[in-house]
Amino acid sequence: MNTVAPLLPPAEWRDFLALTKPRVMTLVVFTGLCGMLAAPPVNGHAVNPVIGFTAVLCIALGAGAAGALNQWYEADIDAAMRRTQRRPLPDGRMDRQAALHFGVGLAAFSVILMGLAVNLAAAAILTASILFYVLVYTVWLKRRTPQNIVIGGAAGAFPPLIGWAAATGQVAVLPVLLFLLVFLWTPPHFWALALFVETDYAAAGVPMLPVVAGEATTRRQIGLYTLPMAAAAVAPWALHLTGWLYGAVSVATTAAFAWMAWTVAARRRAGAEDAMRPEKRLFAYSILYLFVIFGALVADRWMVMP
Amino acid sequence: MTPEERDLIEGRQRARARVMALLLGALVLLIFAISIVKIKAGMGVHG
């Protein structure tokens, strides 16, 4: 006997907005904007504000499209996790096909607008970032390997590169270092989260590191990944690509990050009632850290660098 | 379809149409502004 899925009423526009993961988009937009503002003038001209706004809009729309396609593909995982089960698809507020059409349409629109209004280099990197997040991270890696976050982190690291390319039409050493910083920041950031929502990932069958390799390994990996991340954070100053302001802020904030990561790496959970405060603190600080360090980069570029 | 269901569907359709109209209006303004910038820079939209 054929079963027919019940016909859903049209989704609310707020549900389409929720598909784009607006909170994640905040950080993506901010790092993309900072990448653009940190770029040097081309032929003595800074990027035109209208073109700059369009570039940031395209980065936001591209990130939103990738988020929508991620939710379209992962509706089953989202339904199994407390943190995500109220999203539009697992909650039954939206038809899956509507999410797919929305995601593909938004992705195409963001890339075409970037290519026509800004430049082809920025459009090409935006395309790569969307495809990487959807195909490499969501479809290929996330359900298969505990390294999902490590390699998938590249997807979230593209925005500073896109912002820089939007302003200059090319890629240079500094935005590549910014890419590396976000890429290497992602594992400690997400593994700190995974430590205190471990049971949710286990219930959904996602091979996050704490689920597959255990808590001790995850803590050690958080500590290990913090070392190259710290090097990438300080490298722009060490290589004389930024001034003293970025140097001072990056050294101070990265030292605080490293200390918090060390407290997480060195401790053991004190039983089932452990409130996991150091892990929650590292997760919260890691978000603030990225905002502060990118903000310092822009301040340095506009106030200190010649 | 009950009257309540019809009201729900029509309400959502109206809200979505309003949001879409706002977005399209914003897009028109953006394309206009981009065109002006490109013309001032001495190049066409296709670069």
Side-chain angles (χ1 to χ4, degrees), chain B:
Chain B
M1 184 186 295
T2 64
E4 289 78 20
E5 287 172 333
R6 195 186 62 231
D7 288 347
L8 173 76
I9 290 171
E10 288 179 358
R12 287 187 179 180
Q13 285 172 333
R14 268 195 300 275
R16 280 170 58 163
R18 269 195 296 271
V19 171
M20 188 54 82
L22 282 174
L23 291 177
L24 285 174
L27 180 64
V28 168
L29 290 177
L30 180 65
I31 299 290
F32 177 74
I34 291 168
S35 304
I36 296 296
V37 169
K38 295 281 186 185
I39 290 167
K40 274 189 176 172
M43 54 196 286
V45 172
H46 296 286

Side-chain angles (χ1 to χ4, degrees), chain A residues 20 56 98 249:
Chain A
T20 63
V56 173
V249 173

